[in-house]
Amino acid sequence: MRTPPRSEWSNRPNAYGLMSHGGTPNLMGVPHFHDDIELNFIERGAMTYLLGRHEFTIQAGHWLAFWAALPHRVIWVDADTRQHWLYVPLPLFLQWELPQAFVDDILQGNPVIDPHCAQPAADHGIFEQWHADIQASERGRSRAALLEIEARLRRMALNRTLPDRGAQPVDPGVSFARARQIALFIAGHYTDPLTVADIAGEIGLHPNYAMKIFRDHFNTSIGEYLTRYRVAHAQRLLATTDQRVLDIALASGFGSSSRFYPAFKHACGQTP
């Protein structure tokens, strides 16, 4: 199956579009992001994600959906884990007009898990069929796959639950634990008027040390990470509301439109 590039931080999101793949997940040395809705199925094993303000483990037989525009990272993988991925472009996801509570959960950065385990072999077959249909040249086959994906997300919306915050299954090390605290704080407060000193102070670190350990583990600066969350928030408001661009800029944590426009264009490749 087609496999996307190894995870790496980028100032621009990857543009995968509609695609599927499967295999053994790797630990991500740094977070990555892309402007799609990501649907995962864990065929066997288990893995732990750090996504926004959520850190959670997803077990075999479960389905996971989240908006991948927010930085996310796999920080633990059980031995012999096999996972399937599906990327759905955000405009297509919004066109389906899925239940509003489900859409709100996804676009607010919450990972959604279907708690009802189906038969792993059957769900594996579903992903294999979707992959074949998406890759096929016949328009009818890709259309059939899209109808089935939409139906699966609708079922997921009926069963949705947010993941419980579980204990990290392995010791992440002291410096990564502190860098993770910074990431989680940013995810919960990115619309506030924050400085690096503010963030470091909340974690109880000197700003220089906070910047060093964060770059060591996330391969980006605290400021760039903060900006990515603000841009993602603005993307959500632009796609789902009729607010003025200035109001969206302010609601997303940018102090002015002059700061918002270049940050948005740098992250998304186009103006708001």
Side-chain angles (χ1 to χ4, degrees):
M1 286 187 169
R2 180 183 173 193
T3 303
R6 282 188 177 273
S7 301
E8 59 181 13
W9 180 270
S10 170
N11 287 327
R12 293 277 297 278
N14 295 311
Y16 293 147
L18 181 65
M19 64 168 286
S20 67
H21 59 103
T24 301
N26 297 319
L27 291 176
M28 295 179 178
V30 293
H32 79 158
F33 60 94
H34 47 96
D35 285 332
D36 306 292
I37 303 301
E38 185 166 334
L39 183 62
N40 292 178
F41 170 66
I42 310 301
E43 182 182 346
R44 61 175 183 261
M47 56 195 295
T48 298
Y49 269 106
L50 180 62
L51 168 68
R53 63 183 182 276
H54 300 277
E55 181 182 334
F56 60 96
T57 299
I58 179 169
Q59 304 288 342
H62 290 291
W63 294 66
L64 164 70
F66 63 92
W67 187 27
L70 297 177
H72 53 284
R73 179 178 182 180
V74 176
I75 59 176
W76 175 81
V77 178
D78 195 8
D80 197 37
T81 296
R82 181 172 175 82
Q83 179 188 16
H84 299 270
W85 297 262
L86 177 75
Y87 300 146
V88 178
L90 179 62
L92 178 60
F93 174 79
L94 295 175
Q95 287 172 17
W96 284 337
E97 297 184 346
L98 299 165
Q100 192 60 49
F102 176 68
V103 174
D104 288 345
D105 273 340
I106 294 291
L107 295 187
Q108 288 169 11
N110 295 320
V112 177
I113 292 176
D114 188 339
H116 299 286
C117 293
Q119 296 180 351
D123 285 333
H124 168 248
I126 289 172
F127 262 89
E128 292 285 354
Q129 184 64 62
W130 288 348
H131 177 74
D133 289 342
I134 290 169
Q135 300 300 315
S137 58
E138 301 94 331
R139 181 177 177 83
R141 290 186 62 183
S142 61
R143 175 62 175 161
L146 289 174
L147 288 170
E148 290 172 358
I149 293 165
E150 178 185 352
R152 187 63 186 82
L153 287 171
R154 288 190 181 279
R155 293 191 189 95
M156 196 170 187
L158 296 174
N159 300 327
R160 80 186 195 285
T161 184
L162 301 183
D164 293 329
R165 288 178 59 88
Q168 171 65 17
V170 293
D171 183 1
V174 175
S175 64
F176 176 60
R178 302 311 295 273
R180 186 174 60 199
Q181 281 183 280
I182 295 170
L184 293 174
F185 180 80
I186 290 172
H189 300 85
Y190 60 84
T191 58
D192 297 341
L194 295 174
T195 65
V196 172
D198 294 334
I199 296 167
E202 289 290 338
I203 309 302
L205 300 175
H206 188 279
N208 290 343
Y209 180 65
M211 288 188 291
K212 179 184 183 304
I213 64 170
F214 195 82
R215 185 173 286 280
D216 286 347
H217 291 286
F218 285 78
N219 198 34
T220 189
S221 71
I222 291 175
E224 290 168 344
Y225 196 80
L226 174 62
T227 297
R228 179 61 219 171
Y229 271 91
R230 289 173 171 171
V231 169
H233 187 82
Q235 286 179 280
R236 178 176 67 85
L237 294 178
L238 287 165
T240 60
T241 74
D242 294 323
Q243 294 183 42
R244 297 185 308 159
V245 171
L246 176 59
D247 293 335
I248 287 174
L250 298 177
S252 302
F254 293 95
S256 65
S257 59
S258 62
R259 292 183 179 180
F260 173 53
Y261 271 83
F264 190 95
K265 185 172 183 179
H266 183 65
C268 301
Q270 62 186 55
T271 67

